[in-house]
Amino acid sequence: MSEQTMAKAYDPAEVEKRWYAEWETRGCFHADAASPRTPYTIVIPPPNVTGMLTLGHVLNNTLQDILIRWSRMRGREACWVPGTDHAGIATQAKVERFLKDTEGVTRYELGREAFLGRVWQWKETYGGKIIEQLRRIGTACDWERQRFTLDPGLSRAVEEVFIRLYEKGLVYKGSRLIHWCPKSRTALSDEEVIYRQEQGRLWYFRYPLRDGAGHITVATTRPETMLGDTAVAVHPDDTRYRDRVGTKVLLPLVNREIPVIADPFVDPQFGTGAVKVTPAHDPNDYECGLRNGLDMINVMNDDGTMGPAAGADFEGLDRVDCRREVIRRMEALGLVERVEDHVHQIGYSERGDVPVEPRLSEQWFVRMRPLAEPAIAAVRDGRVRFYPERWVKTYMHWMENIHDWCISRQLWWGHRIPAYTCAGCGRITVSRAQPAACPGCGHASPRQEEDVLDTWFSSWLWPFSVFGWPEDSADLRRFYPTDALVTGPDIIFFWVARMIMAGLEFMGEVPFREVYFTSIIRDDSGRKMSKSLNNSPDPIDVVATYGADALRFTIIYIAPVGQDIRYSNEKCEIGRNFANKIWNAVRFRLRQGPLSPGWETLDDLCAADLRTDDRWILARLEATIRDVTQSLEAFRFNDAARFLYEFMWNEFCDWYLESAKAVFGEGDEARRRAALRVFDHAMGVFLRLLHPVMPFVTEELVHQMGYITAAETIMTAPWPECRAAADAERLGIGEALVARVAAKFDLIRGVRNVRAQYLVPAGRRIAVVIAPTDAENEAFLREDPVALQSLLYASEVVIDRTYQPGGPAGTAVCDLGTAYVPLADVIDLDAERDRLRRQEAETLGFLRKAEQKLANRGFVDKAPAAVVEKERTRLSELGDLLARVREQIAALS
């Protein structure tokens, strides 16, 4: 193409829409299970089917996309499986609200089957929007392999796992204290409870002794649960209550006799050292109740209201209202001794966002200890590696203290538990199909469990269920185990640990080899992004404003490994400006003529054919290939982005392109052709290095430049590799050259600083004299006088080792020598001296005031440390400025 056919400004919206459709049409994202190439597999962390794209999704999926595109360019058969999670609680709650708002009906009024039909209908209409949004940011997912956790194949996998674990004795049904969400009316696992520190109150209640000889005072944060108390407990070594152990108290409001027991779980320092024991409503009390054979009285219904066991006076009250009523009645009886403020941790339902209720309930559980031990070994011996490594400690702590997993949920949307209970004898049969009759007593048609499985019970099978397990499919043989998992550290327990356990149990191999934990995205003030704070921008709006590549590049560029990200939309200017910079560099190149023949390898060139700056940019290109590759191999994505930015913006455009412009316009055709060929080679390699991060603009530009044919795509172009040592030697590129050219650029920067210091007009060319330190540096500076003069914006450049200025001159010193800028004919010397003397006096005045301020002990001792340090920094800066001004005055004398 030519510069005339290329748009003057990069239009990301048009380019992104066109190329994504083209990639899909060509089947560029699809992996071939029959390919002889080594597979590289990622399974997407399946977003909720109800979800909308967030910046967290953008970060997570951009990182996955980088790995997939990079691996494909390295010759791997890259397979990235997308999909969505049915998200039991979240989806059911959303559809229930939708039905209530639009039709005024509840799920109970519809009935189970009709309600589930509505959920599927809602899912087909509204669900999966996030998948379409992921396309907007360029994800190279294999959409032909898209999965949903309630797909028939995945549902079969869930059923098979449940049955196999049951047959091994690892799944069981039991009555235990569990976390209960009264809003969703379902059990929760330990990991679905979020703890918040809150200011509460501690009530001291008097429980009268049965014999009338006084009372025992207990302290509680939950007065409403006293209706289910079945004991008062004290520590065995607490001498205050030694004579009370074995006696009984009368439980107020209920008038139930309950024993005073000794149990080591009691903290003698808490409250009065005596605590009420409610085994059906507190996890510690539950364990105490098991140890002491206490009754377990459940006083609440599943919606958080008080049940029949609470008594006729309280039945039907909401738990909060019941608390108020209990306190009112205890006060009326004179049994409230005192009330204190108390800070404590309250568990909240992750989905329902209401305080959970510890509740005695019959549920299904998985015994986790036998599954955890192999998964602990897999991380310990390095079969699974974590990045950053510090998450290993978190993983190990949880796994070594793991509890059984409550897997049943009192919902309708999800995988229904394949267990059937006989109405005749109560026998439970776990089966792949509905039993016609009870195998124990022969009673007809046992009834299937109403409950469904925890959403995570399907998610933990994701790395192999998406490939058809339990069938022995070609995909499963080819693409399992996967290579990398990119996810947030907040689901290390929910998902990562459980996937490792499931992979080892059912596949005999770890599900992935490397896990990269993403950063937390915060706003510029350090607050976590959230809808409630109104600080979480819609990524699709950001894409519309800046372009997908700009958002992708920016969010990687500002995301150091293991550190939180400080994000604002304005930072996407980094990515947008970067895309425009590259675009304009290509437009400039196309003005010089067509693509150079032989741009790919430079095999027929040697050092003598190239300018110093040509060899320098090739050396920097080699370093960039090495640095970007090593960064991606180590999951240091932001380092890779910074290396790419540094090369293109600061080295290629700011230095090499400006140097090459001088050659493009001169008469030496051989030098011009060589420089154009180096430009074309460097740009072609760079666009391939950048492609995994900024796929759209790179695809467009390789076609604009003519690097590939219209039928080809950069997605399958080979990843650049560093040159062999002999090749580098032939071209004369190495560290010594880089150091010398860097010194030359230091000299040029020094001369530019002189121009700025003496206010030389921007359009004024000046004479520059360079006195090299030795003959070798002199020869080096004489190698490319045209480019040197251009970069210095000089009317002439004289190189003279013996030069001594005969009049006022600005100077710039570097490792190569000293550059002099004679000033007599450039500026009004008298006016400049006057200006500098005024600046000297002004700066000296500020410096004296700063010195006086810091000499004042009252200021130093009383002012905040940050204010004092700021004043000291200002004093140092004023001293530096004064020294520079005096140097300039001396240069003009």
Side-chain angles (χ1 to χ4, degrees):
M1 294 194 180
S2 68
E3 189 248 350
Q4 285 74 28
T5 63
M6 188 176 177
K8 289 185 178 180
Y10 175 49
D11 179 5
E14 187 275 329
V15 168
E16 290 163 10
K17 183 178 180 180
R18 172 162 47 84
W19 275 116
Y20 201 87
E22 185 69 22
W23 289 331
E24 283 205 85
T25 300
R26 295 186 188 184
C28 294
F29 304 149
H30 185 61
D32 181 3
S35 168
R37 297 190 295 182
T38 303
Y40 184 89
T41 313
I42 293 178
V43 291
I44 198 171
N48 288 356
V49 71
T50 61
M52 301 289 283
L53 197 70
T54 66
L55 286 172
H57 292 120
V58 172
L59 173 63
N60 187 302
N61 286 280
T62 297
L63 295 174
Q64 292 175 77
D65 197 50
I66 289 170
L67 292 172
I68 284 291
R69 290 177 181 273
W70 175 52
S71 297
R72 183 179 286 113
M73 296 175 78
R74 297 183 96 186
R76 305 283 292 273
E77 189 64 29
C79 179
W80 184 11
V81 179
T84 49
D85 193 293
H86 67 277
I89 294 178
T91 304
Q92 179 163 313
K94 187 176 282 285
V95 176
E96 285 192 77
R97 283 197 302 272
F98 176 78
L99 291 172
K100 190 72 174 175
D101 293 343
T102 59
E103 300 179 33
V105 297
T106 68
R107 63 173 166 132
Y108 302 104
E109 291 168 331
L110 286 173
R112 184 172 191 136
E113 293 308 314
F115 175 75
L116 289 177
R118 293 297 190 89
V119 180
W120 278 106
Q121 193 177 64
W122 184 93
K123 182 256 180 187
E124 294 305 318
T125 305
Y126 301 104
K129 185 175 182 181
I130 190 170
I131 293 296
E132 294 306 313
Q133 292 176 321
L134 286 173
R135 285 178 156 91
R136 291 286 304 276
I137 62 169
T139 52
C141 293
D142 190 342
W143 298 113
E144 296 175 45
R145 287 187 167 89
Q146 184 174 340
R147 299 289 183 265
F148 178 53
T149 50
L150 280 178
D151 283 346
L154 276 72
S155 295
R156 185 181 169 216
V158 168
E159 179 184 79
E160 186 67 25
V161 164
F162 183 92
I163 292 170
R164 290 191 190 185
L165 291 176
Y166 180 80
E167 290 171 347
K168 289 185 69 171
L170 295 179
V171 162
Y172 65 95
K173 190 175 188 180
S175 184
R176 289 180 49 182
L177 198 74
I178 49 88
H179 299 292
W180 184 268
C181 175
K183 182 176 180 181
S184 304
R185 299 192 190 185
T186 182
L188 303 172
S189 68
D190 293 347
E191 294 73 38
E192 291 171 297
V193 179
I194 307 301
Y195 288 91
R196 302 174 187 169
Q197 183 169 289
E198 294 187 356
Q199 179 70 53
R201 309 194 84 182
L202 193 61
W203 284 269
Y204 289 78
F205 289 168
R206 291 173 175 168
Y207 284 11
L209 292 166
R210 184 185 62 176
D211 61 9
H215 64 267
I216 292 180
T217 301
V218 299
T220 180
T221 60
R222 304 200 59 203
E224 68 277 13
T225 64
M226 70 172 287
L227 303 172
D229 287 358
T230 56
V232 169
V234 297
H235 194 278
D237 299 330
D238 194 334
T239 57
R240 293 173 295 177
Y241 299 104
R242 186 167 293 162
D243 295 339
R244 299 298 189 193
V245 175
T247 64
K248 293 192 175 183
V249 298
L250 280 174
L251 181 63
L253 308 184
V254 180
N255 292 324
R256 182 168 58 242
E257 290 185 3
I258 59 176
V260 179
I261 63 173
D263 195 284
F265 94 99
V266 180
D267 178 4
Q269 304 304 315
F270 177 78
T272 63
V275 296
K276 56 191 280 304
V277 181
T278 320
H281 291 282
D282 181 272
N284 292 320
D285 293 5
Y286 173 74
E287 297 296 334
C288 175
L290 290 177
R291 286 191 297 271
N292 294 277
L294 301 177
D295 290 339
M296 300 192 181
I297 302 173
N298 189 345
V299 297
M300 288 190 194
N301 298 318
D302 62 4
D303 61 355
T305 60
M306 307 310 291
D313 291 344
F314 302 99
E315 184 178 1
L317 288 177
D318 177 80
R319 55 184 171 165
V320 176
D321 293 333
C322 181
R323 175 179 297 186
R324 296 192 189 101
E325 184 62 15
V326 165
I327 294 168
R328 187 188 69 79
R329 292 190 179 211
M330 291 292 282
E331 287 174 336
L333 293 171
L335 296 178
V336 178
E337 187 171 292
R338 66 182 188 276
V339 183
E340 296 176 349
D341 289 334
H342 179 66
V343 177
H344 58 151
Q345 297 283 330
I346 303 291
Y348 276 77
S349 167
E350 184 191 37
R351 294 295 182 190
D353 196 33
V354 294
V356 298
E357 193 60 53
R359 190 167 189 257
L360 190 63
S361 177
E362 191 172 47
Q363 302 288 340
W364 288 87
F365 298 88
V366 177
R367 299 186 203 279
M368 300 301 283
R369 174 59 58 190
L371 298 173
E373 289 170 357
I376 291 171
V379 172
R380 185 171 285 144
D381 63 26
R383 279 175 288 155
V384 178
R385 294 185 297 277
F386 287 176
Y387 302 84
E389 193 177 3
R390 72 169 185 270
W391 290 109
V392 170
K393 184 177 181 181
T394 304
Y395 171 89
M396 289 298 183
H397 177 76
W398 185 75
M399 293 289 277
E400 289 167 355
N401 297 278
I402 198 165
H403 297 111
D404 286 357
W405 175 15
C406 177
I407 57 172
S408 46
R409 296 292 181 270
Q410 287 63 53
L411 304 169
W412 290 352
W413 174 247
H415 297 95
R416 198 165 173 181
I417 294 173
Y420 304 84
T421 303
C422 175
C425 67
R427 174 171 175 165
I428 295 176
T429 303
V430 171
S431 172
R432 291 173 179 82
Q434 168 86 43
C438 174
C441 70
H443 194 280
S445 302
R447 182 181 178 85
Q448 187 175 359
E449 279 275 355
E450 294 289 324
D451 293 351
V452 300
L453 290 162
D454 180 6
T455 294
W456 296 101
F457 196 87
S458 52
S459 301
W460 76 323
L461 315 179
W462 187 251
F464 52 89
S465 65
V466 297
F467 295 120
W469 187 93
E471 299 298 326
D472 183 23
S473 69
D475 271 11
L476 186 63
R477 292 192 301 271
R478 184 67 170 154
F479 296 117
Y480 186 92
T482 70
D483 289 86
L485 175 73
V486 179
T487 188
D490 53 326
I491 55 175
I492 190 171
F493 312 132
F494 284 118
W495 196 45
V496 179
R498 289 172 181 163
M499 281 192 291
I500 297 172
M501 289 185 262
L504 290 167
E505 174 69 17
F506 299 104
M507 293 296 298
E509 282 189 87
V510 295
F512 30 73
R513 299 177 180 92
E514 297 172 305
V515 182
Y516 179 83
F517 293 106
T518 57
S519 307
I520 295 173
I521 302 178
R522 300 185 183 277
D523 64 16
D524 259 353
S525 301
R527 300 175 302 173
K528 191 172 181 178
M529 295 279 189
S530 72
K531 290 181 181 177
S532 62
L533 291 174
N534 197 30
N535 66 346
S536 184
D538 183 343
I540 298 303
D541 291 342
V542 180
V543 168
T545 303
Y546 296 95
D549 280 341
L551 175 58
R552 287 168 60 113
F553 183 84
T554 299
I555 209 161
I556 301 304
Y557 186 82
I558 63 175
V561 177
Q563 297 180 35
D564 291 353
I565 298 172
R566 295 291 185 96
Y567 175 87
S568 65
N569 283 349
E570 292 71 24
K571 288 183 178 177
C572 288
E573 294 283 354
I574 298 170
R576 181 165 66 183
N577 292 343
F578 191 43
N580 288 334
K581 189 82 166 179
I582 306 163
W583 184 269
N584 290 330
V586 169
R587 285 192 73 241
F588 170 79
R589 168 60 187 88
L590 291 176
R591 285 203 297 268
Q592 315 308 314
L595 184 68
S596 306
W599 65 269
E600 302 99 320
T601 63
L602 311 181
D603 282 348
D604 58 327
L605 295 180
C606 63
D609 301 317
L610 303 173
R611 301 176 307 126
T612 302
D613 290 352
D614 294 334
R615 292 187 288 129
W616 170 76
I617 199 63
L618 292 175
R620 291 303 307 137
L621 181 64
E622 289 297 299
T624 303
I625 294 171
R626 179 197 66 225
D627 292 341
V628 170
T629 302
Q630 290 178 351
S631 295
L632 292 179
E633 287 172 343
F635 294 90
R636 297 196 313 271
F637 297 99
N638 82 300
D639 284 347
R642 289 178 182 274
F643 286 130
L644 290 164
Y645 187 93
E646 175 70 21
F647 174 81
M648 178 50 56
W649 193 294
N650 296 331
E651 295 177 337
F652 189 86
C653 290
D654 282 2
W655 288 111
Y656 180 72
L657 185 53
E658 294 305 311
S659 167
K661 283 178 181 178
V663 183
F664 293 163
E666 71 170 353
D668 191 328
E669 187 59 25
R671 283 161 55 88
R672 182 177 184 277
R673 283 199 305 271
L676 286 171
R677 195 165 159 193
V678 168
F679 182 112
D680 294 347
H681 175 77
M683 180 61 76
V685 169
F686 172 79
L687 290 174
R688 280 183 280 151
L689 291 173
L690 181 63
H691 173 71
V693 184
M694 302 180 80
F696 293 110
V697 72
T698 51
E699 184 76 82
E700 179 69 11
L701 290 178
V702 294
H703 286 88
Q704 292 284 357
M705 281 289 293
Y707 288 127
I708 58 178
T709 67
E712 295 175 313
T713 170
I714 194 175
M715 287 180 64
T716 54
W719 182 255
E721 295 183 358
C722 290
R723 298 178 182 278
D727 199 19
E729 186 176 353
R730 171 177 58 81
L731 292 170
I733 58 179
E735 292 303 316
L737 169 75
V738 171
R740 183 162 279 170
V741 173
K744 179 178 75 172
F745 293 155
D746 282 345
L747 183 143
I748 293 166
R749 271 189 289 265
V751 172
R752 291 174 180 175
N753 288 338
V754 168
R755 294 180 64 104
Q757 288 172 357
Y758 291 102
L759 306 181
V760 177
R764 174 77 181 271
R765 289 189 178 272
I766 55 175
V768 178
V769 182
I770 304 174
T773 58
D774 54 38
E776 191 175 355
N777 285 337
E778 180 177 356
F780 170 74
L781 288 167
R782 292 184 183 280
E783 284 183 14
D784 193 0
V786 175
L788 182 62
Q789 184 172 339
S790 175
L791 291 169
L792 287 167
Y793 201 66
S795 55
E796 64 172 334
V797 177
V798 176
I799 299 174
D800 181 358
R801 270 193 289 156
T802 65
Y803 178 79
Q804 292 293 327
T811 60
V813 181
C814 77
D815 291 345
L816 294 178
T818 302
Y820 298 93
V821 179
L823 298 171
D825 298 325
V826 176
I827 60 174
D828 184 331
L829 294 177
D830 290 336
E832 183 63 12
R833 289 189 192 99
D834 289 344
R835 184 188 72 82
L836 289 170
R837 288 192 181 106
R838 287 195 301 273
Q839 187 178 5
E840 177 189 29
E842 183 182 62
T843 304
L844 187 60
F846 289 140
L847 187 141
R848 293 284 181 262
K849 287 181 181 178
E851 287 176 336
Q852 290 170 6
K853 200 170 188 179
L854 288 168
N856 182 346
R857 296 307 308 172
F859 168 75
V860 174
D861 293 341
K862 295 179 182 178
V867 173
V868 175
E869 185 58 33
K870 184 177 180 180
E871 196 63 29
R872 286 179 176 142
T873 300
R874 182 168 179 269
L875 178 63
S876 176
E877 291 171 349
L878 286 168
D880 292 342
L881 175 61
L882 184 62
R884 290 197 303 274
V885 170
R886 285 173 171 171
E887 286 175 6
Q888 292 174 14
I889 292 172
L892 296 181
S893 300

